[in-house]
Amino acid sequence: MNGSGSYEVTFLPSGKQAKVRPGTSVLDASRRAGLSIATRCGGKAACLMCKVRDASGRQAGLSAVADNERYKLGGMHEEGYRLACQAKVTGDASIEVPEDPLHAAIRKQLERQREEEDSLW
Ligand code: FES
């Protein structure tokens, strides 16, 4: 915690940061950092679209995994995944934001097209 009573949350791979008060959800922290993590359920632990990963590997700076979050994530919480709408900031934290599945599909398609074009020349 710094002198203003807030913690610093760093989002990877962008490196964007936000200073937030203890108890702020990781989802709200991401928005303060200027990221737009897509959601459908409005933060009710229902859509699973806000999955992020604890980059510290030891849940540093994050609240304990709640029962409903553990249930929704299945075994993924053991790999460090959290629901950004449920995980609360309790200290300085480092969070990995997975690539949006739609963006990933478009990126892969563009890479394939580029490879095909390169092989024609
Ligand atoms: S916003 Fe839907 S599960 Fe987190």
Side-chain angles (χ1 to χ4, degrees), residues 103-116:
H103 288 174
I106 292 169
R107 183 179 48 73
K108 283 180 187 159
Q109 179 65 31
L110 288 172
E111 283 172 7
R112 260 196 303 274
Q113 284 178 352
R114 218 170 285 134
E115 284 170 16
E116 285 171 16

Side-chain angles (χ1 to χ4, degrees), residues 27 31 38-51 72 83-86:
L27 185 60
R31 290 178 175 152
T39 68
R40 273 205 194 120
C41 73
K44 295 187 170 75
C47 70
L48 305 186
M49 291 178 69
C50 67
K51 281 193 298 286
K72 289 287 182 181
L83 293 178
C85 66
Q86 302 301 304

Side-chain angles (χ1 to χ4, degrees), residues 11-47:
F11 293 92
L12 303 173
S14 68
K16 291 185 176 179
Q17 295 181 313
K19 285 189 186 347
V20 298
R21 292 209 161 273
T24 302
S25 74
V26 171
L27 185 60
D28 286 341
S30 73
R31 290 178 175 152
R32 292 189 77 175
L35 292 167
S36 59
I37 296 175
T39 68
R40 273 205 194 120
C41 73
K44 295 187 170 75
C47 70

Side-chain angles (χ1 to χ4, degrees), residues 70-90:
R70 187 185 316 273
Y71 174 75
K72 289 287 182 181
L73 284 169
M76 292 181 79
H77 80 277
E78 288 161 17
E79 298 166 32
Y81 281 94
R82 300 294 306 265
L83 293 178
C85 66
Q86 302 301 304
K88 305 277 189 273
V89 176
T90 60

